[in-house]
Amino acid sequence: QVRLLESGGGLVQAGGSLRLSCAASRSIVVINVMGWYRQAPGKQRELVATITSRGSTNYADSVKGRFTISRDNAKNTVYLQMNSLKPEDTAVYYCNADIQRASGTYTNYWGQGTQVSVSS
């Protein structure tokens, strides 16, 4: 069973920065798209950013120019560098990945979530 292990959340003042990390628990995996989603209280989970295995990225309009997603394929790890944080970025951030199973098919996995809180 593969798990996604997140770290890096916390409390920061507006204008500050945080870096989230998410690593697959097994080293011998093939991962297609990796991404970050977030869910604020009372709101639906929303896309923050995704990155393909070749490095193509996609961002929500609300984070463009402030957040940067990257990945290290050798470490099966995805990162989210968050700069110029705003109070409205406060949410639980979830890692997501499409991981290849032994059968060759892909299964979508979610991390447990990490809290990001931005104070004004």
Side-chain angles (χ1 to χ4, degrees):
Q1 180 73 12
V2 177
R3 293 189 299 152
L4 298 176
L5 307 175
E6 300 154 341
S7 61
L11 174 64
V12 65
Q13 288 188 332
S17 298
L18 283 173
R19 188 190 194 211
L20 305 183
S21 299
C22 171
S25 60
R26 288 175 54 194
S27 61
I28 306 176
V29 293
V30 176
I31 305 177
N32 189 9
V33 179
M34 302 186 81
W36 291 95
Y37 291 73
R38 67 187 181 186
Q39 187 167 18
K43 295 188 177 181
Q44 290 187 331
R45 191 172 298 188
E46 63 177 4
L47 168 73
V48 176
T50 60
I51 184 168
T52 69
S53 58
R54 295 188 177 186
S56 296
T57 59
N58 179 52
Y59 294 93
D61 288 342
S62 60
V63 306
K64 284 181 180 177
R66 300 188 298 121
F67 291 10
T68 302
I69 190 170
S70 61
R71 63 189 283 173
D72 184 332
N73 290 330
K75 296 181 179 179
N76 293 319
T77 299
V78 63
Y79 306 96
L80 186 68
Q81 178 66 44
M82 304 184 293
N83 298 328
S84 302
L85 282 161
K86 304 175 181 180
E88 50 263 45
D89 294 318
T90 295
V92 178
Y93 284 69
Y94 296 92
C95 177
N96 181 271
D98 288 328
I99 299 176
Q100 190 177 51
R101 298 167 62 94
S103 63
T105 60
Y106 281 84
T107 298
N108 190 254
Y109 289 86
W110 290 95
Q112 80 284 358
T114 185
Q115 177 70 45
V116 171
S117 299
V118 184
S119 63
S120 57

